[in-house]
Amino acid sequence: MYATTNVVDRSRATFGLRLHIMECDVAIIGGGPSGSTVSTLLKKYNPALRVVVIEREVFPRDHIGESQLPAISGVLNEMGVWDKVEAANFPIKIGASLTWGRDQESWDFDFYDVESFVDEPRPAKFEGQRRSTAFQVDRAIYDDILLNHAKSCGADVLQPARVAKVHVENEGTPIARIESLELESGEQVTARWYVDASGNVGLMRRALGVKVDAPKVLENIAFWDYWENTEWAVKIGVGATRIQIRSLPWGWMWFIPIGPTRTSIGLVCPAAYYKQSGKSPAELYNETARAHPQIEPLIRNATQRGNVESTRDWSYLAKQVAGENWFLVGEAAGFADPVLSAGMTLAHTSSREAAYTLLEIERAEIDADWLRNWYNDKTRANINQHIRFAEYWYASNGCFTDLREHCREIARSAGLRLSPAEAWRWLAQGGFSNQDIRGYKLGSFDIGAARKLVGMFSGEDEKLAVAHQSTLNLNLSGAKDDFGALLQNGRIERIPCWRKGQYILPKTGLHANLVNLLNQTSDSMQMLNLLYSSISSQFPPHQRDRVMLDHVYALESMISTGWVQAKKVPNGRTIDFKSFSLRSSDEGLEALHRRDEREAGKTGNAQ
């Protein structure tokens, strides 16, 4: 049924029966992207570790969650599997086309400038513009590539093998630990460390008695099927496209090309609406798809697989994701509504961080409790921010005419006001400078992208706060010394930081540059002039705009999280971005971002 090569296999007699015990260093339940990422990175950076992956299904098999975000590409490259994934010829994702917001008009949200995208032969290397794009993957193929790659890196894969029982000590307590995994075949797998990568099944999580928080307002259900030879609607260059997100009065649909001829099409709606409809999943799905004005023309001449599947897409977050000898990764740790296409990003990034944490604990150079707490706080914050953002997406959709009470409840339960300023403050509370050394991410979006979305949803132009201020005063009152984490090359480096509550401010890098300048002057324009002069003296012309933008975003995050107190003084001057050869504040920032990305695409130095 399956083979093991590196694990220690011992047998002992118990009551006249022979019990096979497989001993290893790390046992991982689940061979999807999370399990493959953890196992591959563990073997890459510490080949001596004995790693076992237990996967219940035989690959290839279909699975939803096909749309990725650019952050995944860097993880794939670190795993050494980028070339294999790229060779599969999955469509390149450059962004999304949405019908969402106050008006029922379509608009595009791209994470790489379409005008700058250059047709390139495929397969391509992970360089230039491809650092800023993503894939739309056929999970049957993608997951198989990743798991086979983990095998080639030295991980032992038991497949098909089902975990029948997780043996736990001190279940439901903070000191709960796993003793062993019992397989249906009767074998026992024992390890020093255990990783739950079993998806929303959460085998270890449930056995450990770890509770989850699940917002009642996002109890949605998803229906989907696969189609051959649909129209792509938007195709950019060689294989690049946008996914489509199309809202309905009572839900939304996705349209994701996942191969040259294959497309994943899904329907998401509140579970209550589905029950009230009185229709079967296939009836509701097919009627909706064939009546949708933007989806129907794309499937008119296509062939449907004819097997409509369903699952509940309820957001949830585990109250604890790391313990005595265990880690939860991917959907075992939590899940955010699929409208953000964040599931795969959370799976890959949390798995990477779990692998780094395990590697560092093995080295015993950094306090193990600190490492576990760092992983726990970082992972939960990331998932929670995506859940918050999903709530905002739903609550800001004026197309949901049949779900007005649903959306009002989302806003009410979240304490959300839908004016741009209120929405921004609410979102920023959980997103910026939270266990992130770069410090200006909101979920999977940088500040510029997040503000653009807030503006689109609200119908108002929400400028960067820093563009309107006269004075900027550093506020370290109540801050304590602490550490953040920088992950690279298989190591976690502890970075000195200030901490106030959940927010951290690194004492190094661009944040240190800003702190130094803020200590010199509180005049916003003078501070930005000093910053620009410093950048101009250190970087070549084609890099200056990008570095300036990074500092502006970091400064914006410091304002949003209280590290900087910003004020507009009567008759005081505010920041004039024209001084930096920019048209205006936000327009200029977008222009410099596009110009920098074009230059990076030519030189292969995209960030």
Side-chain angles (χ1 to χ4, degrees):
M1 182 172 66
Y2 50 74
T4 63
T5 55
N6 297 322
V7 296
V8 176
D9 189 343
R10 293 178 178 164
S11 302
R12 70 177 181 218
T14 304
F15 300 109
L17 301 176
R18 187 152 299 276
L19 179 65
H20 292 275
I21 301 176
M22 288 174 279
E23 298 177 356
C24 59
D25 295 307
V26 184
I28 303 168
I29 302 181
S34 290
S36 294
T37 300
V38 174
S39 56
T40 296
L41 293 176
L42 288 175
K43 293 299 293 184
K44 174 180 179 177
Y45 293 119
N46 188 348
L49 285 176
R50 297 164 296 173
V51 180
V52 173
V53 180
I54 306 166
E55 171 53 49
R56 67 180 182 178
E57 297 189 55
V58 177
F59 290 2
R61 52 88 179 98
D62 283 325
H63 202 288
I64 55 170
E66 299 103 341
S67 182
Q68 301 188 347
L69 296 174
I72 293 176
S73 296
V75 179
L76 296 176
N77 188 60
E78 183 177 11
M79 292 168 63
V81 75
W82 163 273
D83 289 342
K84 296 177 183 178
V85 174
E86 169 67 7
N89 199 35
F90 297 124
I92 300 168
K93 180 182 176 184
I94 203 168
S97 178
L98 304 98
T99 304
W100 205 277
R102 297 177 65 187
D103 303 316
Q104 296 191 33
E105 296 181 358
S106 296
W107 49 275
D108 299 329
F109 180 78
D110 298 323
F111 35 69
Y112 189 85
D113 183 34
V114 174
E115 296 177 2
S116 303
F117 188 83
V118 178
D119 287 352
E120 294 178 328
R122 299 188 68 186
K125 296 296 183 182
F126 179 66
E127 59 188 25
Q129 64 185 11
R130 294 304 302 281
R131 289 178 175 266
S132 300
T133 61
F135 291 107
Q136 294 157 202
V137 299
D138 185 328
R139 290 286 299 275
I141 300 171
Y142 180 79
D143 291 11
D144 199 37
I145 291 173
L146 265 58
L147 190 56
N148 283 325
H149 181 72
K151 291 180 188 177
S152 72
C153 292
D156 289 284
V157 177
L158 311 184
Q159 183 187 30
R162 185 182 295 269
V163 175
K165 187 172 183 179
V166 180
H167 295 277
V168 175
E169 283 184 359
N170 303 315
E171 175 186 345
T173 72
I175 59 171
R177 59 180 291 113
I178 296 173
E179 294 181 308
S180 66
L181 306 177
E182 182 179 329
L183 307 186
E184 279 190 344
S185 59
E187 282 100 335
Q188 295 268 350
V189 178
T190 63
R192 293 188 298 114
W193 300 100
Y194 297 86
V195 177
D196 189 349
S198 63
N200 59 17
V201 175
L203 283 177
M204 285 189 201
R205 185 190 72 226
R206 295 174 190 273
L208 288 161
V210 175
K211 305 297 183 182
V212 299
D213 290 319
K216 294 296 184 182
V217 293
L218 287 180
E219 291 187 345
N220 292 332
I221 188 167
F223 310 98
W224 72 95
D225 203 352
Y226 297 96
W227 299 67
E228 291 290 333
N229 299 313
T230 64
E231 301 293 332
W232 274 26
V234 180
K235 187 173 181 180
I236 305 160
V238 179
T241 188
R242 298 185 182 101
I243 67 166
Q244 295 190 52
I245 302 295
R246 304 300 181 193
S247 64
L248 302 156
W250 41 268
W252 60 277
M253 296 196 73
W254 76 69
F255 181 98
I256 307 173
I258 57 176
T261 64
R262 200 176 196 218
T263 302
S264 171
I265 303 177
L267 168 66
V268 178
C269 68
Y273 180 90
Y274 160 63
K275 292 177 182 177
Q276 292 169 6
S277 74
K279 298 175 182 177
S280 70
E283 288 172 337
L284 184 61
Y285 173 87
N286 289 319
E287 288 177 12
T288 305
R290 296 193 181 279
H292 196 285
Q294 291 168 303
I295 301 295
E296 190 278 332
L298 306 180
I299 63 176
R300 190 175 297 158
N301 299 316
T303 302
Q304 184 179 359
R305 180 188 62 169
N307 179 22
V308 176
E309 300 179 68
S310 62
T311 187
R312 66 180 198 176
D313 266 331
W314 295 358
S315 296
Y316 59 88
L317 174 60
K319 291 182 178 291
Q320 182 183 358
V321 299
E324 291 288 303
N325 66 340
W326 53 269
F327 293 85
L328 310 181
V329 298
E331 290 185 19
F335 178 75
D337 191 278
V339 71
L340 299 177
S341 296
M344 289 282 282
T345 300
L346 291 171
H348 278 289
T349 55
S350 66
S351 300
R352 175 180 182 261
E353 289 158 358
Y356 269 71
T357 304
L358 270 170
L359 289 163
E360 211 58 69
I361 291 176
E362 284 288 298
R363 294 187 184 99
E365 297 174 9
I366 300 176
D367 181 71
D369 287 338
W370 184 91
L371 288 164
R372 275 189 287 259
N373 289 335
W374 169 82
Y375 174 78
N376 184 78
D377 295 345
K378 174 71 159 52
T379 300
R380 295 189 75 257
N382 285 350
I383 298 169
N384 185 54
Q385 187 58 49
H386 281 90
I387 291 174
R388 292 168 74 93
F389 219 152
E391 289 174 343
Y392 179 66
W393 277 60
Y394 278 90
S396 63
N397 195 333
C399 300
F400 287 167
T401 54
D402 291 351
L403 297 179
R404 285 176 182 152
E405 183 55 38
H406 178 71
C407 292
R408 279 197 292 268
E409 179 58 30
I410 289 174
R412 189 161 49 243
S413 66
L416 178 61
R417 302 294 182 269
L418 296 183
S419 71
E422 291 287 342
W424 183 253
R425 281 195 291 272
W426 179 76
L427 290 169
Q429 284 172 2
F432 301 133
S433 298
N434 191 331
Q435 299 292 334
D436 192 336
I437 291 300
R438 287 181 63 85
Y440 50 83
K441 290 288 187 181
L442 181 64
S444 294
F445 304 101
D446 64 27
I447 286 178
R451 278 202 180 272
K452 181 179 179 182
L453 287 169
V454 170
M456 286 179 172
F457 290 159
S458 66
E460 301 179 38
D461 189 12
E462 177 68 359
K463 300 289 187 181
L464 288 169
V466 69
H468 306 289
Q469 310 305 325
S470 304
T471 63
L472 302 170
N473 291 290
L474 186 65
N475 177 24
L476 297 179
S477 175
K480 299 179 180 179
D481 290 334
D482 202 346
F483 293 94
L486 177 65
L487 280 63
Q488 56 186 1
N489 301 320
R491 298 301 306 260
I492 294 180
E493 179 184 356
R494 293 213 302 176
I495 304 297
C497 296
W498 288 287
R499 175 182 289 278
K500 284 195 292 186
Q502 63 178 321
Y503 300 123
I504 61 173
L505 181 66
K507 297 182 180 181
T508 60
L510 53 84
H511 294 91
N513 295 341
L514 292 169
V515 168
N516 179 54
L517 293 171
L518 290 166
N519 281 326
Q520 295 180 47
T521 179
S522 62
D523 182 279
S524 61
M525 192 63 190
Q526 183 179 3
M527 195 276 284
L528 265 292
N529 276 319
L530 290 172
L531 173 62
Y532 195 72
S533 296
S534 174
I535 290 171
S536 297
S537 67
Q538 298 179 60
F539 295 91
H542 74 276
Q543 293 183 6
R544 291 172 189 167
D545 285 346
R546 177 71 252 180
V547 177
M548 185 69 178
L549 181 62
D550 284 344
H551 280 81
V552 170
Y553 280 171
L555 181 58
E556 184 77 3
S557 76
M558 292 167 69
I559 294 172
S560 296
T561 50
W563 293 107
V564 171
Q565 294 178 338
K567 294 182 180 180
K568 186 174 182 179
V569 178
N571 301 320
R573 63 177 183 171
T574 58
I575 293 174
D576 178 11
F577 281 97
K578 293 179 182 179
S579 300
F580 310 111
S581 302
L582 306 178
R583 294 194 301 273
S584 64
S585 60
D586 285 0
E587 288 181 0
L589 289 173
E590 290 182 8
L592 73 85
H593 197 158
R594 288 196 298 271
R595 185 166 69 251
D596 181 72
E597 293 290 359
R598 284 196 293 271
E599 191 67 32
K602 296 174 185 176
T603 62
N605 291 323
Q607 299 300 314

